[in-house]
Amino acid sequence: MTTLHHFIFLFLIASATALQLVTKTKVPGVSREQMHTFLATPTNWPTIVASSQSVRPSSGRGNPVDKPLSIGEEVDEIFGLPPILPLSVCWVCEKTDVSNGDLAFFSEQGLRNVARSEER
């Protein structure tokens, strides 16, 4: 996928209680199913999200992070400046529907002292 041209539109919507990131993609020659699988697989996130350093299975659940997450599965995303400033957010998959392109992750805890109830 490194040779593909891709267009990613990011919209950041902030409010007093929530942070929401909405991404729309259209990659010539890549099917909706392939794109959905790629985005739903947490190990791919560091290649497309500048602040993401790595992902790991959530301490609450042991689901794998190298395959698309199903509803209810969790992943910890590590960002910041590890090991100096290792920040993390636990994301839970709330929606995954290949047929209409819906994919939603939510973090109830958010990032302590920075943001709460985040959506991706």
Side-chain angles (χ1 to χ4, degrees), residues 36-87:
H36 191 274
T37 298
F38 181 82
L39 293 174
T41 304
T43 51
N44 293 325
W45 296 354
T47 63
I48 58 173
V49 179
S51 63
S52 184
Q53 298 292 320
S54 62
V55 294
R56 66 180 179 221
S58 170
S59 58
R61 301 191 185 195
N63 55 275
V65 295
D66 60 350
K67 68 173 191 71
L69 294 184
S70 298
I71 293 174
E73 292 185 324
E74 300 177 355
V75 63
D76 287 341
E77 181 179 19
I78 314 304
F79 57 98
L81 297 171
I84 299 166
L85 183 63
L87 304 173

Side-chain angles (χ1 to χ4, degrees), residues 4-5 8-9 18 30 62 68-70 78 80 85 94 96 100 112-113 115-116 120:
L4 296 175
H5 293 69
I8 299 177
F9 300 96
V30 177
L69 294 184
S70 298
I78 314 304
L85 183 63
E94 287 197 324
T96 179
N100 64 12
R112 192 174 62 202
N113 299 325
R116 293 179 119 183
R120 169 172 272 179

Side-chain angles (χ1 to χ4, degrees), residues 91-106:
W91 297 105
V92 178
C93 181
E94 287 197 324
K95 187 187 305 182
T96 179
D97 186 346
V98 177
S99 65
N100 64 12
D102 283 345
L103 183 61
F105 296 91
F106 182 75

